[in-house]
Amino acid sequence: AVQAMRAEGVPGGACLGCRVGMANCLQWSQPLNESSQKDWVAAEWRMEAEIGIWADPIVLGKWPEVVEEAVGDRLPAFSSAEKALLRGSTDFFGLNYYTS
């Protein structure tokens, strides 16, 4: 869809030259116990997985490593053609950030 939009625009030419992007939401995660290394790791994992599951395929053409490790071969694989199509397909990256 992105390639078609860039090449053709929207019917009627209303979007020729438009920029295509995505906006993600990210909730900040804090460890339950700040003195627990395990809790820090869990909080970081949650944020990496939350943003990475959407952003990594489009920016990098692959799933985030933390998700691959957790889900394993249950995660659908991208073909080489899909990776090439996805990688770099956005003109900008937006981040909605509501908590800290």
Side-chain angles (χ1 to χ4, degrees):
V2 172
Q3 287 75 12
M5 206 170 156
R6 287 182 178 149
E8 305 285 331
V10 172
C15 199
L16 197 56
C18 285
R19 293 177 45 176
V20 177
M22 63 186 293
N24 286 286
C25 295
L26 176 65
Q27 288 187 322
W28 184 256
S29 293
Q30 282 289 122
L32 183 61
N33 177 352
E34 290 191 6
S35 62
S36 167
Q37 181 64 27
K38 186 177 173 181
D39 285 5
W40 278 103
V41 169
E44 185 174 334
W45 185 94
R46 186 201 169 281
M47 289 191 294
E48 283 184 33
E50 180 182 1
I51 199 75
I53 196 79
W54 304 107
D56 281 19
I58 292 172
V59 175
L60 305 173
K62 65 182 191 79
W63 296 113
E65 289 178 18
V66 295
V67 174
E68 286 181 338
E69 290 169 5
V71 178
D73 56 353
R74 292 175 293 155
L75 193 63
F78 292 118
S79 70
S80 295
E82 289 170 327
K83 288 178 184 180
L85 192 62
L86 282 168
R87 191 179 308 117
S89 62
T90 186
D91 296 314
F92 66 90
F93 178 81
L95 180 63
N96 294 319
Y97 183 74
Y98 300 110
T99 59
S100 61

